[in-house]
Amino acid sequence: MQNKALNEYLDQLKDLINKNDFISCIDILLEAIKFYPNDYKLKLNLGNIYKVLGDISNAKETYNSLLVTPYKIISQNNLSLLLLEEGEINESIKNAREAVAADPDYLDAKFNLSLGLFENKEYSESLKICNELLSDNTYKHRAYELKIRISQIICSWSSFDETQEILKSNQMVVHPFLHISNIIDEEANYNNAKKWSNNFVKETKEKHRGNAFEKIKLGFLCGEIRNHPTFYLIKNIFKNMKSSNVSMYMFSYNHHDEEKKYIEENFEKFLDITNLSFLDARKMIENYQLDVLIDLTTIISHNRVNILDKSIAKIIISYLAFPGTTGNSIYDYILTDKTVTPEKMQKYYVEEFLYLPGSYQINNGKLNTKIKTKRQSYDLPNDSVVLGCLNQSFKLDPRFFNIWVNILEEHGKTCLWLLDEGDEMKNNIYSFINNRIDLNRIIFAEKISYEKHLQRIQHIDIALDTRIYNGHTTSIEMLQAGIPLVTLKGNHFASRVSASILNTLGVNHLITDTETEYKNKIVSLIDKDYRAAIKAEIIRKMKTSKILNNKDFSDNFTKKIYSVIT
């Protein structure tokens, strides 16, 4: 005998969803499916609820069970997104392709296919789909956002000015990372982040302080304990933070064993939350009754910000991964410095500034000046001054690139070394140059291991910083190798990072304020003797300043944590 009419279950389900009570939704759906096993939409909704709760395993199992039902295409589309989030890119593309093949007008599947292709670096096909979706009101904003991202990576700058105008005037809301990597304006960045975070922001929490004599429980949330710039920056901070007054816990996901092994002994517990739903991960963290949780990933790709709520720790701090405001009031503070975020910028952040002395950015604490390789190994000419920008290609922009090409035109014994991001990127770079110089003077550096990368950068003579989104890890790496780094100090966090590092090192004469100054400083360093003097100055100050002193940085870092909790 059936317990309730189907409509009763559906009405009850709708009410629970409106209350965001998704856990109870599962019980209702399981009961309804028991009495209405052939109503496959109930199962589809069950899979969707599991996905909302971050229970990926049960969501996948539920969708897979629908592949032999009339809901096959929808399930394949949903699976494509889950698989993409898990990093199973080829399987994601396969499911999305099959859904589109079965229904060419299934626009959601088309968009998910474009996402998969993007992650697989198949930019041309992804971009083609984006352009098709621009005519649809439902998908045009998401498609345009992805198109901007692709255009950044492949250095397709034909719509650069148009994109700048749209984003700066906040005509559309995009992921905050995309905004700060396009727009040098804290107010516009803030307005975008606040609007973007409306769908994710949790209830504002009150800051809690503890007893000054109690041992502090300090947690870190991180998804970059792997071959990632964040790991290379922070890997030595933890061993210097070990103290009888602090219990440290790492809540990690998507980590790799080698990197995990390097740091795990520094924690009271290293906890893997990779396969936990956000509710289970939240419960795990809550059980440790943390005083402070430092989120090292925040809102960059593959984050777990959905874990956070007001009960997870007394204080939640944003640090390192995202150079700007998240727009999410769940974060109490952002660890920063007075160069990247002057006090006057506080009004454009939901997070309260927590200033570190010197640069906010930690590093691995090591000099890298012993040359072990030869230029020929990287197709670099011996008789040229190597201008190097090995930042990711999304950081390049036409204004600075035009300056670089002008310098190459005016100074024949120079070449430009860029990071290779694929044929589409290279072809667009060649087209932009438009025969102004011999294209053989543009040399591309292939992706190699991190250790080999550190060896090759020593052959750069002058490091060229990027305009909108500075080098971060790359900038400190250049200076650790003794290479003069020329930067233009901008008007938002991401465009002031190199200035922060150079100020801390005491070589602020490499910081410029205008594009003309930027070009002139680079040109002045083409002179061999002047360049050698600056290189010697950088190496000397690297040895004598505190910039490589991880113990000093860690002590200041810990003091700041104490200051907000006691």
Side-chain angles (χ1 to χ4, degrees):
M1 183 176 177
Q2 293 181 349
N3 192 25
K4 298 177 187 173
L6 180 59
N7 282 340
E8 289 184 68
Y9 284 114
L10 297 178
D11 289 342
Q12 194 173 359
L13 188 65
K14 190 180 297 182
D15 183 56
L16 291 169
I17 290 172
N18 288 334
K19 294 176 181 176
N20 291 324
D21 185 0
F22 297 111
I23 299 253
S24 297
C25 286
I26 291 176
D27 294 332
I28 295 298
L29 283 165
L30 288 173
E31 182 181 320
I33 289 167
K34 179 180 176 182
F35 291 109
Y36 298 94
N38 294 322
D39 192 310
Y40 300 117
K41 193 169 184 179
L42 291 172
K43 269 197 172 182
L44 183 67
N45 286 328
L46 178 63
N48 294 341
I49 295 296
Y50 280 134
K51 183 182 183 304
V52 168
L53 292 172
D55 189 345
I56 304 303
S57 178
N58 275 321
K60 284 169 66 175
E61 183 180 343
T62 305
Y63 291 142
N64 277 315
S65 73
L66 291 167
L67 294 179
V68 291
T69 74
Y71 284 88
K72 175 183 177 179
I73 299 173
I74 297 175
S75 297
Q76 284 181 311
N77 179 49
N78 292 350
L79 279 168
S80 74
L81 201 53
L82 288 179
L83 291 163
L84 187 62
E85 291 172 358
E86 290 194 312
E88 296 182 45
I89 299 173
N90 290 329
E91 281 300 305
S92 171
I93 292 172
K94 177 177 176 289
N95 275 274
R97 278 199 195 282
E98 290 180 5
V100 172
D103 183 359
D105 295 324
Y106 192 1
L107 299 187
D108 201 55
K110 273 192 171 184
F111 182 69
N112 288 338
L113 176 57
S114 70
L115 289 174
L117 293 166
F118 169 78
E119 291 292 340
N120 211 37
K121 302 185 187 302
E122 297 179 56
Y123 299 125
S124 290
E125 189 178 355
S126 181
L127 195 56
K128 181 182 176 183
I129 296 172
C130 287
N131 286 328
E132 291 173 6
L133 293 172
L134 290 176
S135 60
D136 183 87
N137 286 332
T138 303
Y139 290 91
K140 64 181 181 182
H141 281 171
R142 279 179 283 174
Y144 190 69
E145 184 172 354
L146 183 56
K147 181 178 179 178
I148 295 171
R149 186 78 177 109
I150 295 170
S151 297
Q152 282 183 303
I153 294 169
I154 66 173
C155 299
S156 176
W157 296 324
S158 58
S159 300
F160 181 82
D161 291 336
E162 177 189 352
T163 299
Q164 291 271 298
E165 177 58 33
I166 289 171
L167 296 184
K168 187 169 184 177
S169 58
N170 296 119
Q171 293 177 41
M172 63 179 289
V173 178
V174 299
H175 190 287
F177 181 88
L178 190 65
H179 206 272
I180 66 167
S181 63
N182 276 276
I183 303 300
I184 308 178
D185 185 317
E186 288 282 29
E187 183 175 6
N189 301 149
Y190 170 75
N191 290 334
N192 177 80
K194 284 287 286 182
K195 291 175 183 175
W196 181 84
S197 70
N198 280 343
N199 295 324
F200 309 97
V201 67
K202 308 291 193 303
E203 182 180 345
T204 302
K205 58 191 286 296
E206 293 182 6
K207 300 185 182 104
H208 297 277
R209 293 183 178 271
N211 188 314
F213 303 102
E214 291 178 353
K215 189 172 185 178
I216 286 180
K217 291 183 177 181
L218 174 60
F220 294 87
L221 178 63
C222 189
E224 285 76 47
I225 309 302
R226 50 191 168 87
N227 180 19
H228 189 278
T230 295
F231 174 75
Y232 294 121
L233 290 174
I234 65 166
K235 67 178 187 177
N236 291 327
I237 190 174
F238 305 115
K239 64 184 178 184
N240 290 302
M241 290 181 66
K242 290 179 70 174
S243 163
S244 59
N245 296 321
V246 180
S247 294
M248 292 199 301
Y249 305 87
M250 173 60 77
F251 302 94
S252 176
Y253 54 97
N254 300 334
H255 51 260
H256 293 171
D257 289 341
E258 182 179 349
E259 287 80 4
K260 173 189 173 184
K261 186 177 180 180
Y262 186 89
I263 65 169
E264 67 177 329
E265 67 177 17
N266 301 308
F267 297 94
E268 196 152 314
K269 286 192 177 179
F270 188 107
L271 298 130
D272 185 356
I273 62 170
T274 303
N275 296 317
L276 297 183
S277 70
F278 79 83
L279 285 177
D280 288 339
R282 182 184 295 166
K283 287 176 184 176
M284 173 190 279
I285 299 174
E286 284 175 350
N287 286 338
Y288 286 90
Q289 298 181 316
L290 299 176
D291 294 300
V292 178
L293 178 67
I294 299 177
D295 189 350
L296 295 169
T297 303
T298 61
I299 58 174
I300 66 170
S301 297
H302 309 296
N303 64 72
R304 299 296 299 273
V305 71
N306 59 353
I307 290 172
L308 305 181
D309 77 355
K310 62 178 182 177
S311 64
I312 206 165
K314 293 174 183 175
I315 299 288
I316 301 176
I317 298 175
S318 163
Y319 179 57
L320 201 60
F322 183 71
T325 183
T326 62
N328 191 336
S329 55
I330 196 67
Y331 293 101
D332 299 297
Y333 297 95
I334 179 171
L335 279 159
T336 181
D337 67 55
K338 290 188 176 181
T339 299
V340 289
T341 54
E343 291 179 12
K344 65 182 181 180
M345 295 300 181
Q346 178 65 78
K347 60 186 175 182
Y348 302 130
Y349 281 70
V350 298
E351 307 87 352
E352 186 177 338
F353 291 163
L354 191 58
Y355 285 130
L356 291 164
S359 177
Y360 81 101
Q361 184 175 279
I362 182 66
N363 58 71
N364 67 11
K366 297 178 180 179
L367 267 177
N368 176 37
T369 54
K370 187 175 180 181
I371 298 176
K372 300 178 181 178
T373 59
K374 295 182 179 181
R375 283 192 169 193
Q376 296 95 314
S377 302
Y378 312 107
D379 297 322
L380 297 171
N382 281 322
D383 60 348
S384 288
V385 175
V386 178
L387 311 180
C389 180
L390 298 187
N391 289 307
Q392 295 179 67
S393 60
F394 79 85
K395 298 184 180 184
L396 306 183
D397 83 283
R399 280 171 56 176
F400 259 27
F401 202 87
N402 191 53
I403 292 174
W404 300 347
V405 177
N406 283 341
I407 294 171
L408 293 177
E409 284 183 297
E410 296 164 8
H411 300 271
K413 286 293 183 178
T414 56
C415 64
L416 178 60
W417 202 15
L418 303 172
L419 195 63
D420 187 344
E421 295 280 6
D423 288 342
E424 290 156 297
M425 174 260 192
K426 289 191 285 190
N427 289 334
N428 285 326
I429 290 293
Y430 293 149
S431 295
F432 183 84
I433 292 171
N434 194 26
N435 297 317
R436 289 162 61 187
I437 59 167
D438 181 352
L439 295 181
N440 289 321
R441 294 171 63 195
I442 308 295
I443 301 159
F444 290 94
E446 64 182 0
K447 298 287 182 68
I448 56 177
S449 71
Y450 187 64
E451 291 73 21
K452 290 181 178 179
H453 168 72
L454 291 180
Q455 291 174 10
R456 73 180 175 187
I457 66 174
Q458 297 166 334
H459 298 292
I460 293 173
D461 293 306
I462 307 169
L464 310 180
D465 198 20
T466 40
R467 183 175 69 95
I468 303 173
Y469 197 116
N470 290 171
H472 290 50
T473 311
T474 303
S475 291
I476 187 62
E477 287 168 355
M478 295 296 161
L479 294 167
Q480 286 171 296
I483 301 163
L485 168 73
V486 183
T487 191
L488 170 63
K489 184 168 66 176
N491 295 316
H492 75 332
F493 191 137
S495 61
R496 300 168 71 92
V497 171
S498 294
S500 166
I501 298 168
L502 289 165
N503 272 331
T504 302
L505 184 59
V507 285
N508 56 342
H509 52 82
L510 293 176
I511 303 168
T512 64
D513 294 312
T514 68
E515 291 183 18
T516 299
E517 286 181 16
Y518 175 80
K519 179 185 176 183
N520 290 342
K521 177 57 71 173
I522 295 168
V523 169
S524 70
L525 286 162
I526 293 175
D527 179 82
K528 185 177 181 180
D529 292 338
Y530 179 60
R531 189 170 69 250
I534 300 302
K535 187 178 180 77
E537 179 190 6
I538 290 169
I539 293 172
R540 183 178 73 254
K541 289 186 173 179
M542 273 285 172
K543 291 177 178 178
T544 58
S545 74
K546 291 184 176 181
I547 197 166
L548 296 181
N549 189 332
N550 280 178
K551 182 66 171 66
D552 182 72
F553 185 96
S554 301
D555 288 346
N556 287 320
F557 190 93
T558 305
K559 286 175 186 175
K560 282 298 173 183
I561 303 307
Y562 269 97
S563 74
V564 299
I565 199 65
T566 59

